[in-house]
Amino acid sequence: MTGLMNKLLALVITLLLGVILGALLAPYAGLLKWPTNEMCSRGQTIQLLFGAIIAALLGTAMALEESNANINSVVGTAIAAALLPPTVNCGICLAYALIGQFFISAEEALDDTERLIFYEIAIGSAILVCTNVLFIYLFASLVFKIKKVVQF
């Protein structure tokens, strides 16, 4: 249970860093051309499918490495790559939608439609993170069961 709490704490810290980045970079959103194509892609429904496939493969790889006593940082790095970008993107978009208008000029102010786009991207990114976590856990558990690993 301690491992799960540590992972959740890490995700919360990552989300908060995204919120801080979103607030700090809000005055430069026009210059940065927010939302970028990469930001938008994290919030699209099709990404859930690709994210689920990648997370399933990562969960399987993690369980195989752990159960064979071949601890390798590559799997941890890959899992971080699956979880960190959508988590930070969620924080950035959420912060910009909520408080971005306080940091930009009146000419660049967000209208309701633009604000809704950032909310949708944030929600899509959050769903992607949850999907990735779920599939990593499910497939790792499945491999541990198949390999008859008692404690995991």
Side-chain angles (χ1 to χ4, degrees), residues 50-141:
F50 294 127
I53 292 169
I54 291 170
L57 294 172
L58 290 172
T60 302
M62 181 191 68
L64 288 172
E65 295 227 10
E66 285 291 323
S67 64
N68 290 331
N70 293 329
I71 298 174
N72 190 342
S73 63
V74 173
V75 175
T77 303
I79 290 173
L83 297 177
L84 292 180
T87 306
V88 172
N89 192 52
C90 177
I92 289 173
C93 291
L94 193 60
Y96 190 64
L98 290 173
I99 60 174
Q101 66 268 11
F102 300 118
F103 297 102
I104 57 179
S105 65
E107 302 89 46
E108 297 175 342
L110 295 175
D111 63 15
D112 288 340
T113 306
E114 291 172 320
R115 191 173 294 117
L116 184 62
I117 290 170
F118 281 95
Y119 281 129
E120 288 175 357
I121 295 171
I123 290 169
S125 295
I127 292 171
L128 179 59
V129 170
C130 293
T131 302
N132 287 350
V133 169
L134 179 68
F135 273 80
I136 289 169
Y137 178 77
L138 287 176
F139 277 81
S141 296

